[in-house]
Amino acid sequence: MARRRFDPSAPIFALFALLLAILVFLPMGWLAVFSVRGPDGAATLTYFAQLVTDDEMVRPLIVTLIVATSVSTLCTLVATPMAWLIARTDMPFARPIRLLVMASFVTPPFLGAVAWEILAAPNSGLINQVYRLAFGLGRSDRLIDIYTVYGLILAIANYTFPYVFILVANGLDRIPSDLEDASSILGASRWRTAARITVPLVLPAIVAGTLIAFLQAMNNFGSPAIIALPAGFHTMTTKIWSMFQYPPQPGMAAAAAVPLLAVTIMLLHLQRAALGRRSYAVVGGKGAQARIIRLGWLRWAALAYCGAVVSAAVIFPYIALILTAFAKTLTITWAPEGFGLGNFEFVFFEFSSTKPALWNTMLLGVMAATAGTAVTLIIAYVTSRQAVPGHRVLGFLATAPIAIPGIVFGVGLFFAYTHPPLVLYGTLTIMFIAFLTTELPIGYQQFQAAFRGIHIELEEASRILGATRLRSLRDIVAPLITTAVVSTWCFIFIAAIRELSAAVLLYTANTKVLSVVIYDLNENGELGAIAVLGLLMLAVTFAVVAVAYRLPRATSIPTSA
Amino acid sequence: MADVELSGLTKRFGALAVVDRVELKVAHGQLVCLLGPSGCGKTTTLRLIAGFLEPDEGTIVVGGRKLSGPGSALPPERRNMSMIFQSYALWPHMTIRENVAYGLTLRRLPADEIQRRVAAILDVTHMSQFADRYPGELSGGQQQRVALARALVVQPETLLLDEPISNLDANLREEMRFEVRRLHDEYKYTTVYVTHDQAEAMTTADLIVVMNRGRIEQTGTPRQIFEEPNTEFVARFLGGTNILRGRRLGGSGPEIVDCGAIKLVCERGRGTGETAPVSIRLHQIELHRSQPPGDGRNVAPAEVRRQVYLGATRDYLVALADGTELRAVTPSDLDIAAGTPIWIRLPPERCRALAS
Amino acid sequence: MKAYRTGLLALALSVAAGAALAAAPAPSPLTPQLIEAAKKEGVVHFYTAVDLQLAEVVAKQFEQKYPGIKVVVERNGSERLFQRIGQEVTANIHNCDVVNTSDAAHFVRWKKDKLLTPYVTPDIADNFAADQRDPEGYYANWRNTLSPIFVNTKLVSEAETPKSFKDLLDPKWAGKLTKAHPGYSGVVMTATFQVSTALGWGYFEQLAKQKPMQLQSATDPPRKVSAGEREVAVDGTEYLAFTLIEKGNPLKIVYPSEGTPMITSPAAVMAKAPHPNAARVFYHYIHTLEAQQMLVDQGGLRSVHKQVKEPSGRVPLSKIKLLPEDAVAVEREAEAIKRRYRQIFGT
């Protein structure tokens, strides 16, 4: 072959591959090293041995499995019928219900856990107070106790079921109703059609949703930190975190992170298998409007069911936060003089952490969202256009962090950047790296989908008419990708400002973020201040979500058959 | 305008040569169709010409200028070509006018000149009244016309078309075939047209290049390709034909092939090797109720297996004594019931021996 | 009173004996030049374990007195602060100017590790007894608090009110207790040491059977009892309870008959303080009579500043039986105490 011209895409590829490899593998490499390095520096397997023999380690492992299994089962049982009711029936108020499910989706789980503490603490919890009041019961009677394993399961499930809901609802949307009509015409009843055609078609989505819910529950740190510790037990994530308290046990923490990592990778493989075996691109879908099943009087029962779920996840917790934010004393009295703006005054004018934390959070959110959008945009472009050799490697690297639980990644980053040559601990940079890396997969997947919708011929048409590659990017790709850019930015921003599990291991006094401040306040029992900060965080989140939702959907892009 | 010359053009994806030593010369002003089934390498050849791909071997010379060779390919934007894509590739965020004007803007023409030329081409393509719509608001046929307008307005040296009308429904397809030809006759650009539809190639092309497995099977005018296919592939790919196989008997005269139940004198074509396929078009087979008079060459008894009335014609399936089945098309007034023994004649001047 | 004095004195003596005996530096006056230099730095980072709201009051009042110097409060549990400072020092991060935790043992360790700088203010020299400060001037007692028992008066009648730690083992308190964690709180760390010394670890083993609600910060148990989440708190900071009672919460303090743990809470200037001048001005301020009296009046703390007057209505220290303190022992056994506690209580 003749001499090649200098190709600028090669160094770009090398640069990005190197950058991603460092971001992902350096922390994971150190994690591996620490997990097998004894205090004397020699290789050892004692940490892993301790993991399976020491009762202090085995118990959290079992609790974690119980919690994750229960949460995923519960979420699937609750969210699957909800998705079907909203997508395929004439249940009233489907749209508000859908919006409330989205609200649950963007509510930080730790905030939800705090709200549920307020609601369901065994004695002072609002629900138990109302319960006792309503039935004239004594103090020892309670409806619900959040400081238990089932309380934790409930608190996590409330903010995990949307994962199942979204996957199943999307799955239902993709099934052309012709398939169901075909069954009806052959004489099957509505219910029989649902059972024999609809359910099997969405089964992969249900399975995938269940697995994702399992992972979310297993890798959740905020909820158990808030609920399990007062209840007197640990999950794996809180146990790992506790090993960073004095006296630190980094090796043990590293070893304890390995099972989380292994299970996550395994389940993601399973999920891909579940979604991948059957093709969803159902043939010939002219996209006929899904046929709405009439429920008759049952639709009110359906509404009651969906309403109960979103009440538990969103309505009651938000009310609890609002009441607490305005309450003067720690006991919420229902008299009007029991409410005031004291907590707001404290948070905004006295609490010296508010301003720096807010600033850090916004700065990190903006930086992670901007950098994450830019990096994933380029990588997704390169991989979707197969512009450089080895583009698959880039795609893999950008997706890899999805398999790394936040707390595990925090542990890895802690090891990687707390000693020379790269000492980043205590800087905003390390937080930035953590947020950027953990959010890469979100951005990459968004853009991959977006580029799939922009046929490569659109660019080629511009090239052949005389535009350079850069000019085509500017004139053709940029305007078409704008929507995806803004929505990706919003997604990463929201995910970054609520990140707790990596942040809690990496922050220092100067680099506190809102989530960590809320977490610290909780240990201090400052529920009023938490409620105010939590509402602030939710307000920012909803504002950003509103921006993302208001974007015009890209004008219909003709794609080739 | 320029002539296009491909020599030894080869492109591999992995070990597979998708385009394999293609040689082709397109005179300027000519409309050449690359015709073949999907996966035959025709689109890859087009993309090599456009400069979206770089050849592994061989060169592409346009108007005396070498545009592509291994390791050196002029980027597409500097080839002064236009292309119409299978998806039309109209930019959804630009109006029809903006889509069409884009290429002229890139060429930095003065605004009034752009306006004039855009108006003219929209007029020619009957799209003037849609100038301010967005592509999403047009029908498939209208989008197709816009794609044509956008490609033609820049007055390219070479025009490339990649299955431009295969996404349209049947009626529109026919109309657009003639439209493409009409516009070509008007502007006379050197045009390379990729299609898998033989009718499309027949109606539009000056020259048809039949491709198969990365190679050129045959190059010729539509009439040559249809009437004088050199290979079984070409014969089969272009319209209905019967292929009979037999042993070549040799001799200095016309090719004689012994197919067992019938011995065929082929006044056209020439086989290679021991055996040869013989091609005869469906409508060229004669059916007789009784043994036809004459020299008895290329005549054999047969039996009607099935017949279908198609209005203007009848479609027959007949079987020779050894069970070999042939299809024949006759005027519809010849009505022979299934199961009737008949005689068939394959006129020697219609039988074509092919390379094996 | 005597007991805890002995404690700090023993600590001071042991440190003195360990190192070559050096005298404390002469008291440094608060000069206009120092204040000017501090204003140039503009900010002081105060790592403290005192209740957040009280810490912010200290900060506000300091900022009013010295405009131009901002106080950034990093409030966390004592044990968390200890861990955090250790972690930051390992990473060569010097962010903390003035530190205060409720675990005197920390200061023994930090002095050994040369993380502190000797600095004595005139207030410390004149008004803090010799046994309330490091003989070499590395740290001085900033505030004291007790860790008594707290009772919700709405939920527990006078007759039922427990009088001693042992009373809490009565089965009727099962599921009705709460307490903070020695892995987080220096107050509880010290209290756990003192109670286990006085009553033995067996006491905690039995207490664990009562399934107390496990909180982290020592400021939380009085809050949870006030909110009615639990009837009785086994430990927690006395000073916050005063504030809560004054705000009208149904809370009562019980000084257990076995003796109440007393926790000294020293403060010090960091050797590598990023704002050394502001640190010194702040350190001056927090030991002044004004600041100490505020801690007592508004914060409910106990002060050892000689001129501070105890407000009426609080049981004076002299009337409370205290458990003996031994910071050196706490420093030595800290890890063992935490491990043992984890094993008994599960977290």
Side-chain angles (χ1 to χ4, degrees):
Chain A
M1 200 178 284
R3 265 181 307 120
R4 288 206 148 255
R5 277 176 308 132
F6 174 72
D7 185 354
S9 53
I12 289 178
F13 167 75
L15 183 77
F16 272 85
L18 190 71
L19 179 79
L20 288 185
I22 289 175
L23 281 181
V24 177
F25 289 116
L26 191 65
M28 290 301 101
W30 278 112
L31 183 83
V33 168
F34 268 82
S35 70
V36 294
R37 190 165 75 180
D40 50 353
T44 173
L45 284 176
T46 49
Y47 299 129
F48 286 101
Q50 202 180 335
L51 205 57
V52 290
T53 53
D54 186 349
D55 194 41
E56 235 187 277
M57 297 306 308
V58 175
R59 254 185 304 154
L61 204 59
I62 293 170
V63 170
T64 305
L65 287 178
I66 292 172
V67 169
T69 310
S70 315
V71 167
S72 57
T73 311
L74 186 63
C75 287
T76 307
L77 293 179
V78 167
T80 307
M82 259 183 101
W84 181 78
L85 285 171
I86 287 175
R88 286 295 164 94
T89 72
D90 63 345
M91 187 189 81
F93 300 108
R95 210 182 129 69
I97 296 278
R98 210 185 254 262
L99 284 179
L100 285 169
V101 173
M102 292 326 274
S104 154
F105 187 59
V106 298
T107 304
F110 61 85
L111 199 58
V114 173
W116 266 94
E117 261 190 315
I118 300 169
L119 283 172
N123 300 312
S124 61
L126 298 178
I127 292 177
N128 289 319
Q129 285 191 38
V130 171
Y131 172 71
R132 283 193 291 266
L133 208 65
F135 295 94
L137 298 171
R139 181 166 158 77
S140 55
D141 293 298
R142 58 192 56 140
L143 188 61
I144 183 169
D145 180 356
I146 200 70
Y147 299 116
T148 51
V149 174
Y150 79 78
L152 177 63
I153 290 166
L154 182 75
I156 298 179
N158 270 324
Y159 305 97
T160 307
F161 83 89
Y163 290 92
V164 183
F165 176 90
I166 291 168
L167 276 166
V168 175
N170 286 352
L172 283 168
D173 286 345
R174 274 198 299 256
I175 299 173
S177 50
D178 318 20
L179 296 184
E180 290 167 336
D181 293 347
S183 160
S184 308
I185 211 92
L186 290 171
S189 72
R190 264 180 231 163
W191 300 106
R192 197 177 164 80
T193 299
R196 299 297 302 275
I197 306 295
T198 316
V199 170
L201 279 171
V202 287
L203 197 59
I206 296 173
V207 171
T210 309
L211 294 175
I212 291 291
F214 186 96
L215 289 179
Q216 290 292 328
M218 181 182 78
N219 295 328
N220 186 326
F221 165 74
S223 309
I226 282 160
I227 288 169
L229 296 184
F233 63 91
H234 269 295
T235 63
M236 280 312 276
T237 50
T238 60
K239 193 71 197 168
I240 290 174
W241 160 86
S242 77
M243 287 166 193
F244 281 84
Q245 305 312 313
Y246 193 84
Q249 303 163 268
M252 196 61 230
V258 171
L260 292 185
L261 189 62
V263 173
T264 307
I265 292 174
M266 199 180 75
L267 289 189
L268 283 176
H269 265 285
L270 274 180
Q271 188 222 358
R272 187 168 301 178
L275 281 177
R277 283 227 332 267
R278 261 170 280 189
S279 166
Y280 267 108
V282 190
V283 189
K286 279 260 175 189
Q289 193 65 41
R291 217 155 43 93
I292 297 298
I293 295 183
R294 301 203 173 279
L295 294 176
W297 64 270
L298 271 176
R299 64 208 187 104
W300 297 106
L303 178 63
Y305 168 70
C306 291
V309 175
V310 293
S311 297
V314 179
I315 298 176
F316 290 153
Y318 281 29
I319 290 175
L321 285 178
I322 292 169
L323 287 176
T324 308
F326 287 98
K328 272 186 190 155
T329 53
L330 292 163
T331 341
I332 293 173
T333 52
W334 301 92
E337 62 271 16
F339 296 99
L341 291 173
N343 292 320
F344 288 84
E345 268 173 46
F346 174 72
V347 165
F348 291 112
F349 300 110
E350 288 161 35
F351 186 25
S352 59
S353 288
T354 305
K355 227 198 273 172
L358 210 55
W359 167 249
N360 286 341
T361 305
M362 290 302 144
L363 185 70
L364 281 170
V366 169
M367 276 173 32
T370 308
T373 306
V375 170
T376 52
L377 176 66
I378 293 169
I379 294 172
Y381 179 77
V382 164
T383 53
S384 73
R385 297 301 186 245
Q386 313 186 346
V388 296
H391 57 85
R392 273 199 198 86
V393 177
L394 281 179
F396 168 76
L397 285 173
T399 323
I402 209 170
I404 308 173
I407 193 130
V408 175
F409 198 65
V411 174
L413 281 174
F414 185 87
F415 294 144
Y417 300 117
T418 43
H419 48 73
L422 273 172
V423 181
L424 294 177
Y425 177 72
T427 61
L428 277 178
T429 311
I430 196 171
M431 311 277 279
F432 170 69
I433 290 176
F435 293 174
L436 173 66
T437 315
T438 47
E439 307 315 341
L440 279 179
I442 304 183
Y444 180 65
Q445 284 164 356
Q446 287 280 319
F447 281 127
Q448 251 194 333
F451 280 120
R452 227 176 281 137
I454 301 179
H455 200 285
I456 191 165
E457 289 183 350
L458 291 174
E459 269 174 84
E460 291 177 344
S462 152
R463 293 290 300 278
I464 198 79
L465 284 174
T468 59
R469 174 156 246 164
L470 283 176
R471 180 85 195 245
S472 307
L473 283 175
R474 198 193 78 186
D475 290 351
I476 310 299
V477 179
L480 293 176
I481 205 83
T482 315
T483 306
V485 168
V486 179
S487 65
T488 304
W489 194 95
C490 292
F491 275 122
I492 300 182
F493 181 83
I494 292 170
I497 63 169
R498 65 190 263 184
E499 212 292 333
L500 173 66
S501 53
V504 81
L505 294 181
L506 300 173
Y507 82 96
T508 53
N510 262 354
T511 57
K512 266 192 177 176
V513 289
L514 223 43
S515 59
V516 170
V517 168
I518 291 178
Y519 177 69
D520 271 355
L521 284 171
N522 184 68
E523 289 186 329
N524 209 6
E526 297 269 9
L527 288 177
I530 293 175
V532 172
L533 284 173
L535 290 175
L536 178 69
M537 198 163 180
L538 288 174
V540 172
T541 302
F542 287 130
V544 173
V545 171
V547 169
Y549 263 79
R550 253 161 225 283
L551 291 173
R553 298 284 130 216
T555 30
S556 67
I557 295 167
T559 48
S560 100
Chain B
M1 267 171 261
D3 53 343
V4 175
E5 198 175 338
L6 316 181
S7 24
L9 197 64
T10 301
K11 179 72 191 174
R12 294 187 197 89
F13 292 137
L16 181 73
V18 181
V19 174
D20 194 2
R21 285 164 283 163
V22 162
E23 302 279 341
L24 178 65
K25 212 164 176 171
V26 186
H28 66 244
Q30 211 175 22
L31 194 159
V32 172
C33 263
L34 301 184
L35 178 65
S38 61
C40 74
K42 57 189 192 301
T43 296
T44 307
T45 306
L46 195 76
R47 293 170 60 78
L48 283 163
I49 298 173
F52 295 128
L53 296 172
E54 194 175 288
D56 292 318
E57 283 160 35
T59 58
I60 298 170
V61 175
V62 176
R65 200 159 58 120
K66 183 181 147 194
L67 299 187
S68 287
S72 70
L74 202 64
E77 61 266 25
R78 290 171 54 197
R79 296 186 171 217
N80 199 15
M81 294 179 175
S82 271
M83 184 159 169
I84 296 171
F85 295 86
Q86 193 171 7
S87 66
Y88 314 138
L90 298 183
W91 301 305
H93 59 300
M94 297 184 189
T95 61
I96 302 314
R97 193 190 303 284
E98 288 165 348
N99 263 280
V100 175
Y102 184 76
L104 299 174
T105 317
L106 288 174
R107 283 164 178 72
R108 302 216 170 84
L109 294 186
D112 54 339
E113 170 77 3
I114 293 179
Q115 209 181 349
R116 197 182 56 72
R117 279 167 68 171
V118 169
I121 197 77
L122 287 179
D123 198 39
V124 171
T125 50
H126 312 306
M127 290 302 295
S128 298
Q129 73 261 46
F130 303 111
D132 294 314
R133 295 222 189 148
Y134 284 92
E137 300 167 322
L138 299 186
S139 70
Q142 290 166 333
Q143 292 185 7
Q144 168 65 53
R145 287 169 189 277
V146 177
L148 269 170
R150 185 178 70 183
L152 292 176
V153 77
V154 296
Q155 301 179 346
E157 282 184 2
T158 317
L159 179 63
L160 308 175
L161 298 96
D162 183 11
E163 307 249 2
I165 56 182
S166 59
N167 281 343
L168 300 177
D169 50 37
N171 287 338
L172 263 175
R173 254 206 317 265
E174 198 158 332
E175 184 192 324
M176 288 311 295
R177 268 183 226 154
F178 292 111
E179 186 74 7
V180 168
R181 185 68 218 185
R182 176 177 76 83
L183 289 167
H184 179 260
D185 290 341
E186 195 162 335
Y187 294 100
K188 286 280 179 212
Y189 298 119
T190 307
T191 304
V192 181
Y193 188 125
V194 161
T195 181
H196 66 270
D197 182 323
Q198 48 137 338
E200 211 172 300
M202 289 288 180
T203 36
T204 50
D206 295 322
L207 196 68
I208 293 179
V209 177
V210 183
M211 290 187 72
N212 184 30
R213 295 182 190 174
R215 298 201 187 177
I216 293 180
E217 288 269 341
Q218 189 173 352
T219 306
T221 62
R223 191 189 142 80
Q224 282 172 331
I225 293 284
F226 187 75
E227 296 194 354
E228 298 162 16
N230 286 342
T231 63
E232 184 179 344
F233 176 82
V234 176
R236 278 188 194 280
F237 195 76
L238 278 108
T241 197
N242 291 293
I243 301 285
L244 291 108
R245 253 164 243 284
R247 204 158 43 81
R248 292 175 69 205
L249 297 181
S252 54
E255 187 87 64
I256 301 170
V257 180
D258 183 357
C259 300
I262 190 167
K263 195 184 288 177
L264 293 172
V265 178
C266 307
E267 290 184 354
R268 299 163 72 176
R270 187 143 292 278
T272 54
E274 294 240 318
T275 62
V278 176
S279 159
I280 181 162
R281 296 283 174 199
L282 307 186
H283 62 278
Q284 291 166 337
I285 294 183
E286 296 170 10
L287 303 191
H288 299 272
R289 288 183 191 273
S290 53
Q291 187 167 15
D295 55 10
R297 289 195 304 174
N298 294 6
V299 172
E303 187 192 280
V304 174
R305 283 272 164 90
R306 194 181 68 205
Q307 62 128 307
V308 183
Y309 174 74
L310 291 175
T313 57
R314 274 180 205 271
D315 192 328
Y316 281 91
L317 185 69
V318 300
L320 296 175
D322 64 353
T324 307
E325 290 188 333
L326 295 172
R327 276 181 67 201
V329 174
T330 69
S332 55
D333 49 5
L334 179 68
D335 181 5
I336 308 172
T340 313
I342 53 162
W343 291 84
I344 62 168
R345 178 168 177 268
L346 285 58
E349 67 277 15
R350 302 295 187 192
C351 291
R352 185 170 178 86
L354 306 172
S356 48
Chain C
M1 191 79 182
K2 194 151 189 216
Y4 84 88
R5 287 206 162 180
T6 328
L8 204 67
L9 188 64
L11 155 75
L13 283 176
S14 79
V15 169
L21 224 119
S28 315
L30 182 64
T31 61
Q33 290 88 338
L34 183 65
I35 297 173
E36 211 40 52
K39 282 185 177 162
K40 280 216 182 78
E41 291 165 354
V43 68
V44 57
H45 291 168
F46 181 37
Y47 282 36
T48 179
V50 81
D51 179 63
L52 177 64
Q53 309 219 17
L54 185 56
E56 297 291 1
V57 173
V58 174
K60 275 279 123 51
Q61 297 193 345
F62 175 80
E63 284 169 8
Q64 272 163 21
K65 183 143 187 176
Y66 299 97
I69 310 174
K70 253 191 72 58
V71 183
V72 173
V73 173
E74 167 62 10
R75 140 74 214 179
N76 215 320
S78 297
E79 306 305 312
R80 293 280 166 79
L81 286 176
F82 181 67
Q83 184 269 339
R84 188 149 285 282
I85 285 175
Q87 200 164 294
E88 290 184 358
V89 167
T90 319
N92 206 24
I93 295 169
H94 300 284
N95 187 46
C96 172
D97 289 308
V98 176
V99 65
N100 153 250
T101 75
S102 296
D103 191 337
H106 296 163
F107 292 81
V108 180
R109 170 67 72 88
W110 284 331
K111 184 180 165 186
K112 257 195 274 183
D113 293 348
K114 302 203 185 334
L115 298 183
L116 308 178
T117 192
Y119 191 71
V120 177
T121 72
D123 270 301
I124 294 173
D126 300 341
N127 291 311
F128 286 70
D131 59 357
Q132 296 297 335
R133 52 191 165 94
D134 178 53
E136 293 167 66
Y138 280 90
Y139 51 87
N141 197 354
W142 181 48
R143 60 187 173 96
N144 287 355
T145 191
L146 302 179
S147 174
I149 291 171
F150 303 95
V151 178
N152 185 307
T153 52
K154 266 196 198 153
L155 304 173
V156 182
S157 71
E158 186 65 39
E160 277 184 316
T161 300
K163 305 280 183 290
S164 66
F165 284 124
K166 286 247 172 71
D167 285 352
L168 300 177
L169 300 179
D170 189 315
K172 73 177 175 188
W173 297 120
K176 295 183 174 174
L177 304 178
T178 182
K179 72 185 301 306
H181 201 290
Y184 178 95
S185 160
V187 168
V188 177
M189 179 74 213
T190 310
T192 305
F193 170 79
Q194 292 179 13
V195 173
S196 67
T197 308
L199 305 177
W201 277 99
Y203 174 71
F204 285 109
E205 278 159 18
Q206 283 174 280
L207 189 66
K209 296 203 180 89
Q210 302 281 60
K211 298 245 175 277
M213 174 185 186
Q214 182 67 66
L215 303 171
Q216 298 292 318
S217 171
T219 62
D220 207 5
R223 284 200 171 100
K224 286 284 183 290
V225 171
S226 297
E229 180 46 46
R230 288 292 189 273
E231 279 77 350
V232 177
V234 181
D235 48 29
T237 52
E238 180 200 35
Y239 64 91
L240 186 75
F242 287 134
T243 325
L244 289 170
I245 291 167
E246 278 155 28
K247 276 189 185 165
N249 284 290
L251 193 66
K252 186 182 169 188
I253 300 171
V254 174
Y255 300 100
S257 57
E258 295 96 338
T260 304
M262 164 90 166
I263 294 95
T264 60
S265 189
V269 176
M270 297 300 285
K272 291 198 174 164
H275 315 98
N277 297 301
R280 282 165 173 77
V281 174
F282 188 72
Y283 192 68
H284 264 283
Y285 173 75
I286 60 174
H287 287 102
T288 57
L289 176 60
E290 177 193 348
Q292 291 281 315
Q293 190 68 53
M294 189 282 290
L295 290 180
V296 171
D297 293 347
Q298 286 190 42
L301 282 158
R302 310 278 182 173
S303 171
V304 291
H305 192 290
K306 284 173 184 161
Q307 296 174 40
V308 164
K309 296 189 178 53
E310 285 218 36
S312 56
R314 293 182 195 164
V315 183
L317 265 188
S318 50
K319 297 250 172 75
I320 302 169
K321 182 185 174 192
L322 298 173
L323 290 173
E325 187 179 21
D326 185 350
V328 175
V330 172
E331 199 254 327
R332 197 176 54 232
E333 291 175 23
E335 289 183 27
I337 293 172
K338 286 176 189 168
R339 195 175 326 115
R340 189 125 193 211
Y341 188 92
R342 272 205 313 272
Q343 284 161 357
I344 293 173
F345 287 94
T347 51

